[in-house]
Amino acid sequence: MTKYNMTIKLPTTEEIERITRECLKYRFPLFEDEHKVKSEKYSLKGDVWIGYSSRGFTFSGRRGTHFDLNIVGNLCLLVSIELESKQRGKGLGWKLYESVHSISKEIGCRAVRTVPSGGFFNSRGEMIKSRRDYLLERNYVPVNETQVEFATN
């Protein structure tokens, strides 16, 4: 078994929610107590989904600032992350990423992995930097042509 597939002993979903809230309070200045944090097991192997949203969990419409994580084996997979548009350009997006890194580390994952898409645009709608380049500039490393990873342990 490779280190990428090793399973860790995860805390309970209640403990994961507590860890998530604590990491957000410490790392993300926009976090408020009424924001929603949830975790659920989603596989027979015990893989866990962790969600955060400033507006609540819905499958239609905007969820405000949010992220979705899947804990699989010893990896934290960052499925989605978004900062409300009015908060962009202030360094808060990276604070949200740092919160994810902290959550991953506290749970015991060895890394955060994501498939970065999109990027950053100027007022004319032209991309000025890809999300992949943004993450590579901040100590993420390429895993393959589409994925990047940030070591937490």
Side-chain angles (χ1 to χ4, degrees):
M1 186 182 295
T2 68
K3 71 177 186 174
Y4 301 105
N5 294 324
M6 292 172 52
T7 301
I8 58 175
K9 172 111 172 79
L10 289 174
T12 65
T13 53
E14 293 82 10
E15 183 69 5
I16 289 171
E17 289 173 13
R18 184 192 63 73
I19 290 167
T20 301
R21 284 189 169 279
E22 284 181 4
C23 291
L24 283 161
K25 281 181 187 177
Y26 179 72
R27 298 264 182 199
F28 188 56
L30 298 179
F31 180 76
E32 298 176 9
D33 287 335
E34 62 269 8
H35 290 181
K36 306 300 180 196
V37 171
K38 193 170 182 182
S39 69
E40 294 180 1
K41 290 188 178 182
Y42 69 88
S43 76
L44 295 175
K45 295 186 300 180
D47 299 330
V48 174
W49 165 78
I50 303 169
Y52 160 68
S53 175
S54 63
R55 294 191 189 163
F57 299 105
T58 65
F59 291 102
S60 61
R62 306 303 286 168
R63 294 191 302 163
T65 295
H66 70 273
F67 60 69
D68 291 284
L69 311 174
N70 288 339
I71 308 301
V72 179
N74 64 355
L75 279 176
C76 174
L77 303 175
L78 176 56
V79 178
S80 68
I81 189 166
E82 183 176 1
L83 186 67
E84 288 185 77
S85 59
K86 66 184 177 186
Q87 301 297 344
R88 295 179 187 160
K90 304 173 185 175
L92 296 167
W94 186 246
K95 295 286 187 193
L96 191 58
Y97 273 98
E98 288 179 327
S99 299
V100 169
H101 302 154
S102 183
I103 294 161
S104 173
K105 182 175 184 168
E106 290 295 319
I107 290 172
C109 296
R110 69 164 192 81
V112 174
R113 185 177 289 181
T114 190
V115 179
S117 61
F120 303 90
F121 300 84
N122 63 23
S123 60
R124 295 182 305 279
E126 302 163 329
M127 186 184 292
I128 54 177
K129 183 179 289 188
S130 74
R131 185 174 310 275
R132 181 180 175 89
D133 288 343
Y134 171 80
L135 293 173
L136 291 173
E137 290 173 359
R138 287 162 176 79
N139 296 322
Y140 274 73
V141 295
V143 175
N144 55 39
E145 291 182 20
T146 59
Q147 298 178 343
V148 296
E149 186 172 278
F150 184 89
T152 56
N153 284 325

